[in-house]
């Protein structure tokens, strides 16, 4: 970031963790390996000492998943890893958000945040803001592309990671219909601090 020859800019994209959890559950098998890697990254980063797993395992898990301290049942294993990975992601977001708040001016000028929901609701305004931040021109074709990708006729695909034009405004609230109240409460418990800083 301090290297003048690079002129690096950082845009950090955030999304409502409840929506993230909903999307990750929808693609649970495709994300299983990634979730395990995320969980391993937490264990590598944690200082040695008494385990904190008891509190963390109660978050984002289906009811009765860890009865008696047993390993998760095969049918719940993907949800176990997805839930734990989301908690790690939210902890990393919180560290980033707190760092950005305390950052020196030279870093603040090179870093900006973008909420997925803001991009979906106001694609033109957010695109212009990002391009201004990056010092890039705003060609009309790019604006047309962004509108097409966020205002398409379809809603979504059952195939994970399929990038297509869709009505992304529906996607930002899909978690309200798909997550149970317990799942919502668990996500909010695990991600509450980051959600508060991001105004979710």
């Amino acid at each position: 970031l301090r290297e003048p020859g690079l002129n690096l800019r950082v845009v950090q994209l955030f999304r409502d963790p409840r929506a993230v959890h909903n999307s990750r559950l929808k693609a649970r098998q495709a994300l299983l390996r990634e979730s395990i890697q995320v969980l391993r990254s937490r264990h590598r980063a944690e200082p040695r000492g008494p385990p904190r797993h008891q509190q963390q395992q109660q978050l984002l898990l289906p009811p009765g998943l860890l009865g008696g301290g047993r390993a998760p049942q095969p049918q719940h294993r993907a949800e176990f890893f997805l839930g734990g990975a989301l908690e790690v992601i939210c902890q990393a977001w919180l560290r980033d958000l707190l760092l950005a708040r305390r950052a020196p001016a030279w870093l603040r000028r090179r870093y900006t945040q973008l909420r997925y929901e803001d991009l979906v609701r106001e694609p033109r305004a957010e695109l212009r803001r990002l391009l201004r931040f990056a010092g890039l021109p705003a060609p009309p074709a790019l604006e047309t592309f962004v509108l097409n990708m966020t205002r398409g006729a379809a809603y979504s695909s059952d195939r994970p990671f399929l990038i297509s034009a869709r009505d992304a405004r529906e996607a930002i609230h899909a978690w309200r219909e798909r997550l149970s109240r317990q799942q919502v409460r668990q996500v909010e418990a695990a991600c509450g601090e980051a959600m508060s800083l991001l105004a979710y």
Side-chain angles (χ1 to χ4, degrees), residues 64-100:
L65 183 63
L66 289 177
R70 294 187 305 270
Q73 298 300 313
Q75 68 268 28
H76 295 302
R77 191 161 301 172
E79 288 183 48
F80 172 81
F81 290 122
L82 285 173
L86 181 62
E87 185 180 349
V88 174
I89 290 166
C90 285
Q91 290 168 355
W93 283 4
L94 181 59
R95 285 192 303 272
D96 293 343
L97 291 163
L98 294 174
L99 174 65

Side-chain angles (χ1 to χ4, degrees), residues 175-191:
W175 64 268
R176 295 175 188 269
E177 298 170 10
R178 297 201 178 114
L179 295 183
S180 69
R181 285 184 182 175
Q182 181 181 5
Q183 287 172 316
V184 170
R185 282 195 298 267
Q186 289 172 330
V187 171
E188 290 172 350
C191 302

Side-chain angles (χ1 to χ4, degrees), residues 131-147:
L131 292 173
R132 223 177 13 256
F133 167 74
L136 296 171
L142 184 56
E143 194 169 293
T144 302
F145 173 78
V146 168
L147 277 175

Side-chain angles (χ1 to χ4, degrees), residues 154-189:
Y155 162 55
S156 142
S157 167
D158 288 333
R159 290 169 51 201
F161 315 117
L162 176 68
I163 308 299
S164 62
R166 63 180 182 158
D167 189 349
R169 291 169 296 185
E170 291 183 34
I172 62 177
H173 297 296
W175 64 268
R176 295 175 188 269
E177 298 170 10
R178 297 201 178 114
L179 295 183
S180 69
R181 285 184 182 175
Q182 181 181 5
Q183 287 172 316
V184 170
R185 282 195 298 267
Q186 289 172 330
V187 171
E188 290 172 350

